[in-house]
Amino acid sequence: MAKVYVGNIDRRTEKRDLEQEFGRFGKIRQIQIWADRHPAGFAFVEYEDDRDAEDAIKDLDDRQFLGSRLRVEWARSTGRKAPPRRRSPSPRRRSASRSPPPRRSRTPSPR
């Protein structure tokens, strides 16, 4: 399965418009559309086969569609990991510039 991002779609674009245009390249699993955005909307078209998505990207990117020039590309992954959280330094590992090391008392050596 392969997901394609479709940007810069006209506000009046409907799901059936995208089904007709993108369906020429292969079997579509799902279309999600957000066309009511100003100035332009976007959609995601999910294909059963990666090759169909690749063909759609090659043929439809930068093409005029219902009054707008489409931007068609691979959708970015939604499974990104969040950056690791910074941990505060352990009290035992503080640098000398932050606090002096604890003082130890010396026991007198036997003579």
Side-chain angles (χ1 to χ4, degrees):
M1 129 179 91
K3 192 179 272 191
V4 172
Y5 167 81
V6 183
N8 199 36
I9 60 177
D10 186 85
R11 292 184 0 218
R12 297 167 299 209
T13 302
E14 295 183 12
K15 188 175 179 179
R16 70 174 183 261
D17 298 325
L18 294 176
E19 286 172 342
Q20 186 176 2
E21 187 68 17
F22 284 81
R24 299 183 297 127
F25 300 96
K27 184 165 173 66
I28 295 174
R29 285 188 61 159
Q30 180 180 13
I31 294 179
Q32 298 170 311
I33 185 169
W34 290 271
D36 59 347
R37 307 285 187 233
H38 295 280
F42 64 95
F44 291 100
V45 177
E46 191 174 326
Y47 285 96
E48 291 282 337
D49 191 314
D50 290 2
R51 293 171 295 187
D52 297 336
E54 190 170 344
D55 290 344
I57 291 168
K58 287 179 182 176
D59 194 57
L60 295 176
D61 185 38
D62 203 33
R63 177 164 293 184
Q64 197 73 20
F65 177 70
L66 299 178
S68 296
R69 187 164 300 278
L70 294 181
R71 181 172 149 212
V72 183
E73 59 191 41
W74 291 105
R76 294 190 178 127
S77 172
T78 57
R80 290 183 184 168
K81 291 183 179 180
R85 293 186 354 211
R86 291 187 62 173
R87 296 185 342 181
S88 60
S90 164
R92 293 183 185 161
R93 293 187 177 187
R94 288 187 183 154
S95 68
S97 63
R98 295 182 110 193
S99 62
R103 300 192 93 168
R104 292 194 223 172
S105 61
R106 296 181 78 185
T107 57
S109 61
R111 290 191 187 207

